[in-house]
Amino acid sequence: MVYAAPLLVSSSSEENTRLENKRLQLLKSIQDLSGNSSQPTHLTEITALRNEHNQIVLDQLDSRRGPWSDPLAIFPVEIWIHLISQIIECRWGTSYRMISHVLLVSRKWRAAIVSVPQFWTQISVEPGFGEEDILLKIVTALYLSRDLPLTIYIDHPIRRDSYEACRALLAPHSNRIRDIIFRSPFKSLEGDDSWNPSIYQILSDLLPLPNLQEIHLHSSFSMTLDEWKIVETLPSIKALEGDAIPSHLLRHMSLVNLNTLTMYGSVNKLFRIIENLPRLKTLTMMQLPNYVPGWTVEDDTDAVYEQRDVPLPEHPLSLQSLTWLKQDGARLEDLLQCSPNLTHLTFQGSWKLLGQIIGVLFKLPLLSYLSVDLQWTETGAKFFPAKVIQNTNIRQLILSSEWFNARNEDEDHSVESLKLSLLIDLWRPTLEAVENLSILLYKGWTVPLSFLSSTVNLRALTLYLPGFDELSALPNIVLNALEDLYMTLPSKCFNSFLSSLQCPNLLALSLRTPSFNRIPMKEIIQIHSQQFPKLSALHWCSSDLVWDVESHNSLKLVAFLESATQAASDFCAHLILRPQDFPLLEQLEFYIFPEWDLLFLMLERRNFLLDQSVLKITTVILPTTLGLILRGSLTSLLRGQFANRLSNHDLSIVGIGEIYFDHSLTGCHWCCISMQACSTPPTLVYYGYATPTYKMWSNHRAETVTMTPYPPLADSTLNWLNQRQRRYDKWNEQTQEVYSWSRERVCRVHELDSHYVFSGFSMANPLTYHSIASATLEPILD
């Protein structure tokens, strides 16, 4: 593994020109001889020329870079700490596997990492602890973190023995615990030693917690009325997230430091307790459920006063973010009037309630983020005034329909769609200032897309519109400022919408079709270079969309989601035939494994072109690491060197199938596909319950090649492409035999939510990688 930054230096132009001319001469000689490769003398000569070519590539790299400088030596320590933190942190805290990797870089790094306490402040209390040395890890983290505040991640439920051992270790350091996050375990516990203590019991066992600032409850964790009283023993508490507290309980608490709160109750009750929350910045108001553990309405001593309006607070509230998740909107208008500092508002409610507050809503001077989730209603009454004051400070607007209480999909949603159109017309002046717009509608709701022409400052647009049956001819929608476009539409609507767009500055495009209750329908899509001249990143996320691949002069990155395996295979096949069609393409992302034979043939074709105007593909991102038999060949090809790789047959799905469908061989699904050694045995299952991981290529289809390859392609490679359908048929034939056993999808070798970056300069460092596509093409709600 390489954790170093090459210092690029300007090489001698004469030397660089000489090396490049020599390399091109060798490359041409290799290609000329390859036509007669059946002759033994030519094969020997080709091998010698390839070795010489590979050495020149290394000489070119050496001539363009200085020494491999240690980042620890060249970066300020603050930047170095930040870089290492990006490597070792994963979704649920610090990854000790990654810490062990960076500790092995050098003695100097080991000493530095051990001496930086920030790297050791996150501690996971896991259920069985899956790893034998978990207690040693906790001891090490407690020691090396010195006196810094700690963040504790607790898997719940847990094993009693494990919990008791961890509690004994953590108790002497309870004054250092700043945040506690309760989360569900990665795998459900099995056996009699599974233990399910209450959240209250765990917190009580760790008391005192004088410096605890945040409690975060994930999933369905909750506390009863009496258990919430433990908050009174936490003098430094600032945030309570994940579960709501009954408001009357807060009336008897003094939480002067609290800045984040989720609560049940009304605005009336909030006004009664607001003096106890002088620093409250972020508030979520939730609808009172039918049942709150340990509490009934009779327990609320304030219930009899609920009908009396409490006077408005004497001073403006300090609220900056409000999330309203209540059907009852009593006095919401008063709450907004008292919150002049509000910058973020998330509203979920009825059309009627929105009509009541819309006048006040746009008078908020600092409001820059507005999310409106509208509930389905049966009435067609008009709730909006004819005119409202517009708020040109809003930069991000999210408009969505109710997701979780959606009615029957066969019901008439025309009234809702009409009201939505009226609302958009009412807000049209406000839309002119919006820079980030999201329209997320449930099935049956529609909206006239022609209004987009008025969003002249729009830079990012998200459309989730599964309810569109069809799109009639649209007028031209000119969005000169648009840079990012994320679309989820029925497949038959894409061409109509794309053809209406004029986005000369579009940089990133994501295409997705709805996944629920869908009728598979293939639609051929074209992405024209003339229409999107600056498009640099394309995210293909659907199996229903067939990419009619043609030349595109600006694309630099193409990413394929799990459902787009067919598109990924077709794209690789196209680049084998026409490697010059995407001259600026440098990076490919696969969220699921590609067909290795097509990927390797494509890289050999693309990276050994004589045309210097076509850039090499230098980076491939995969969902996991690879076995050494694949890894070395891949990194060589990305570097621009010839590789001694497996045969096309061994790399193909037929060769993989010879391993995958042999139930006498061990290996999880990911390890078999990535050719890694794995001890996970196949699992016997009942008929019909086998894990369908083997179906990843089952629905693929391939036509006989009709396109003329350019530059000319070897007959053997062309024949191999023409046999794609035969290989898919063989894979399908083997899947029919899988009925009584299944492979685990993933084993402990793989880190989920991570992507492995392969380039010619490293052996696939495992990083939690946020690529251009992942950063700019955020996942659409699906």
Side-chain angles (χ1 to χ4, degrees):
M1 292 185 181
V2 179
Y3 293 96
L7 294 180
L8 299 181
V9 295
S10 57
S11 59
S12 167
S13 58
E14 295 82 2
E15 178 64 14
N16 186 56
T17 301
R18 185 189 68 80
L19 287 173
E20 182 62 13
N21 289 337
K22 179 64 174 176
R23 188 187 71 84
L24 292 176
Q25 291 174 4
L26 290 170
L27 196 57
K28 189 174 187 313
S29 299
I30 293 170
Q31 294 178 358
D32 291 341
L33 289 172
S34 296
N36 301 314
S37 59
S38 59
Q39 300 182 22
T41 56
H42 287 167
L43 292 176
T44 303
E45 188 175 354
I46 289 174
T47 301
L49 291 175
R50 285 184 173 183
N51 291 336
E52 186 177 357
H53 175 277
N54 288 350
Q55 184 58 50
I56 288 180
V57 171
L58 292 179
D59 292 341
Q60 286 179 311
L61 294 175
D62 290 338
S63 68
R64 293 201 305 267
R65 68 188 178 207
W68 286 82
S69 298
D70 189 341
L72 184 57
I74 63 175
F75 288 127
V77 64
E78 295 83 3
I79 294 179
W80 182 81
I81 290 175
H82 178 73
L83 292 174
I84 300 302
S85 297
Q86 295 300 308
I87 295 175
I88 66 176
E89 290 180 3
C90 60
R91 183 180 179 185
W92 294 116
T94 300
S95 168
Y96 284 92
R97 178 180 298 172
M98 290 311 306
I99 283 188
S100 65
H101 288 168
V102 295
L103 284 173
L104 296 175
V105 170
S106 67
R107 292 181 181 179
K108 185 178 180 180
W109 273 46
R110 180 182 182 278
I113 291 170
V114 167
S115 65
V116 177
Q118 291 95 316
F119 296 150
W120 306 91
T121 57
Q122 299 183 4
I123 297 176
S124 293
V125 179
E126 301 170 6
F129 300 122
E131 303 177 30
E132 298 177 356
D133 59 346
I134 186 66
L135 293 179
L136 293 177
K137 290 181 178 178
I138 294 179
V139 172
T140 302
L142 289 173
Y143 176 76
L144 295 178
S145 59
R146 300 180 188 175
D147 295 326
L148 290 187
L150 300 173
T151 297
I152 309 297
Y153 295 86
I154 299 179
D155 281 11
H156 191 274
I158 200 169
R159 300 193 190 280
R160 182 182 292 272
D161 292 342
S162 301
Y163 169 73
E164 294 293 343
C166 287
R167 184 176 67 85
L169 292 174
L170 293 173
H173 302 270
S174 60
N175 63 322
R176 296 171 52 198
I177 298 177
R178 182 181 59 188
D179 305 319
I180 297 181
I181 295 94
F182 292 92
R183 64 190 183 189
S184 298
F186 177 69
K187 287 188 176 181
S188 58
L189 295 180
E190 300 177 357
D192 298 335
D193 56 346
S194 175
W195 188 44
N196 192 15
S198 66
I199 302 297
Y200 172 81
Q201 182 174 349
I202 294 176
L203 290 174
S204 299
D205 290 341
L206 294 174
L207 288 177
L209 296 166
N211 297 307
L212 183 64
Q213 296 182 7
E214 178 178 343
I215 299 175
H216 197 122
L217 308 179
H218 281 270
S219 189
S220 58
F221 301 133
S222 62
M223 288 199 288
T224 65
L225 179 71
D226 291 335
E227 291 175 346
W228 270 121
K229 295 179 181 177
I230 197 173
V231 174
E232 294 181 282
T233 66
L234 308 174
S236 301
I237 194 71
K238 290 185 177 181
L240 299 171
E241 300 184 67
D243 189 23
I245 306 178
S247 57
H248 73 277
L249 190 63
L250 292 168
R251 189 177 183 187
H252 308 290
M253 296 181 181
S254 179
L255 303 175
V256 294
N257 294 314
L258 197 69
N259 57 36
T260 301
L261 174 66
T262 301
M263 62 170 282
Y264 296 127
S266 64
V267 175
N268 259 347
K269 294 182 178 180
L270 174 65
F271 286 163
R272 284 194 182 96
I273 64 174
I274 200 64
E275 292 183 356
N276 297 340
L277 308 170
R279 294 183 174 87
L280 189 63
K281 302 292 184 184
T282 302
L283 173 65
T284 298
M285 300 282 288
M286 296 185 65
Q287 183 73 22
L288 184 66
N290 295 329
Y291 171 72
V292 177
W295 178 56
T296 62
V297 175
E298 288 74 17
D299 296 325
D300 185 356
T301 56
D302 295 332
V304 295
Y305 302 105
E306 183 60 24
Q307 302 303 320
R308 305 177 186 177
D309 282 349
V310 177
L312 297 178
E314 297 181 1
H315 304 287
L317 303 184
S318 58
L319 278 182
Q320 296 179 358
S321 177
L322 172 64
T323 300
W324 185 270
L325 305 176
K326 290 169 55 65
Q327 296 176 1
D328 175 19
R331 303 202 69 184
L332 174 56
E333 189 174 357
D334 290 341
L335 177 58
L336 294 176
Q337 288 178 339
C338 296
S339 307
N341 298 315
L342 204 65
T343 60
H344 286 64
L345 173 62
T346 299
F347 168 85
Q348 185 184 74
S350 65
W351 288 98
K352 183 176 182 179
L353 180 55
L354 179 61
Q356 293 173 354
I357 67 170
I358 197 169
V360 177
L361 191 64
F362 282 0
K363 293 180 181 179
L364 297 172
L366 302 180
L367 188 66
S368 61
Y369 173 95
L370 174 61
S371 176
V372 177
D373 186 10
L374 294 167
Q375 296 177 345
W376 192 96
T377 56
E378 297 179 357
T379 175
K382 183 179 179 181
F383 298 116
F384 305 124
K387 185 177 181 180
V388 296
I389 298 174
Q390 301 295 328
N391 188 333
T392 57
N393 293 321
I394 295 179
R395 294 293 179 265
Q396 183 171 357
L397 175 63
I398 301 175
L399 187 59
S400 60
S401 64
E402 185 180 32
W403 295 94
F404 300 107
N405 296 317
R407 304 306 196 268
N408 191 306
E409 62 182 72
D410 296 327
E411 292 185 0
D412 184 10
H413 295 270
S414 59
V415 174
E416 306 300 311
S417 299
L418 176 61
K419 289 186 289 187
L420 191 59
S421 300
L422 293 175
L423 178 63
I424 289 176
D425 287 338
L426 188 65
W427 283 357
R428 196 172 290 267
T430 295
L431 292 173
E432 294 179 1
V434 171
E435 296 180 356
N436 191 327
L437 175 64
S438 298
I439 307 292
L440 313 172
L441 303 182
Y442 186 73
K443 291 168 54 175
W445 291 47
T446 59
V447 63
L449 296 178
S450 56
F451 83 92
L452 292 173
S453 296
S454 62
T455 56
V456 294
N457 293 308
L458 196 63
R459 300 182 62 184
L461 173 63
T462 299
L463 295 175
Y464 183 89
L465 304 172
F468 277 61
D469 292 329
E470 60 180 348
L471 283 177
S472 56
L474 292 171
N476 286 340
I477 300 175
V478 181
L479 299 172
N480 289 323
L482 190 66
E483 297 177 351
D484 303 326
L485 174 59
Y486 330 123
M487 296 192 300
T488 300
L489 297 171
S491 56
K492 59 185 176 181
C493 297
F494 269 97
N495 279 319
S496 298
F497 184 64
L498 285 174
S499 61
S500 68
L501 290 179
Q502 294 184 22
C503 307
N505 294 303
L506 189 68
L507 300 178
L509 175 63
S510 173
L511 306 179
R512 186 189 299 256
T513 53
S515 61
F516 58 88
N517 297 332
R518 67 183 182 88
I519 300 175
M521 183 178 296
K522 301 294 184 181
E523 186 76 11
I524 298 176
I525 303 295
Q526 291 183 332
I527 308 296
H528 298 291
S529 183
Q530 299 83 358
Q531 187 178 10
F532 306 117
K534 296 185 179 180
L535 185 65
S536 61
L538 177 62
H539 208 199
W540 203 272
C541 315
S542 174
S543 59
D544 293 337
L545 300 179
V546 180
W547 187 5
D548 184 6
V549 185
E550 60 181 24
S551 177
H552 203 293
N553 297 327
S554 61
L555 268 177
K556 298 181 179 180
L557 178 150
V558 179
F560 298 98
L561 207 66
E562 288 90 341
S563 59
T565 54
Q566 175 79 65
S569 297
D570 291 344
F571 184 73
C572 288
H574 179 91
L575 282 185
I576 294 173
L577 296 169
R578 307 277 295 185
Q580 296 170 314
D581 279 357
F582 296 83
L584 299 184
L585 185 65
E586 294 182 287
Q587 180 171 316
L588 290 174
E589 284 193 48
F590 300 96
Y591 283 64
I592 200 168
F593 303 102
E595 294 182 52
W596 300 121
D597 56 325
L598 298 181
L599 177 64
F600 278 52
L601 284 170
M602 181 270 294
L603 291 175
E604 289 173 337
R605 178 85 158 147
R606 171 64 175 244
N607 288 357
F608 300 132
L609 285 174
L610 294 173
D611 187 353
Q612 296 303 286
S613 65
V614 181
L615 300 181
K616 293 182 177 66
I617 294 176
T618 58
T619 305
V620 171
I621 292 91
L622 296 170
T624 184
T625 187
L626 301 177
L628 291 175
I629 199 169
L630 290 178
R631 193 186 312 176
S633 302
L634 180 59
T635 52
S636 294
L637 291 173
L638 294 173
R639 191 183 298 123
Q641 294 178 300
F642 290 96
N644 295 320
R645 62 172 178 85
L646 294 175
S647 67
N648 290 337
H649 173 84
D650 291 338
L651 290 172
S652 70
I653 59 176
V654 175
I656 292 175
E658 293 173 356
I659 301 173
Y660 192 96
F661 294 106
D662 185 349
H663 64 270
S664 66
L665 301 177
T666 61
C668 69
H669 170 75
W670 278 25
C671 283
C672 286
I673 304 300
S674 59
M675 296 190 181
Q676 298 186 79
C678 178
S679 60
T680 305
T683 304
L684 291 176
V685 295
Y686 293 107
Y687 178 78
Y689 289 91
T691 306
T693 50
Y694 53 81
K695 295 183 179 180
M696 56 187 299
W697 294 301
S698 296
N699 296 320
H700 283 204
R701 296 293 180 267
E703 302 293 336
T704 302
V705 174
T706 58
M707 180 186 301
T708 301
Y710 183 80
L713 188 63
D715 292 340
S716 59
T717 304
L718 188 59
N719 292 335
W720 183 257
L721 290 179
N722 281 323
Q723 295 172 6
R724 282 178 63 196
Q725 186 58 53
R726 187 179 303 174
R727 294 193 290 275
Y728 295 145
D729 292 341
K730 178 62 176 178
W731 180 270
N732 290 330
E733 178 185 334
Q734 291 172 308
T735 62
Q736 302 304 316
E737 303 172 2
V738 180
Y739 59 92
S740 62
W741 61 274
S742 174
R743 294 194 182 274
E744 291 286 341
R745 177 175 177 267
V746 63
C747 67
R748 290 178 54 195
V749 169
H750 311 278
E751 291 196 25
L752 299 181
D753 300 321
S754 296
H755 295 283
Y756 279 61
V757 185
F758 291 80
S759 71
F761 305 101
S762 66
M763 293 294 283
N765 300 329
L767 303 176
T768 304
Y769 175 74
H770 300 287
S771 65
I772 298 174
S774 299
T776 60
L777 304 171
E778 299 172 352
I780 311 302
L781 193 58
D782 200 356

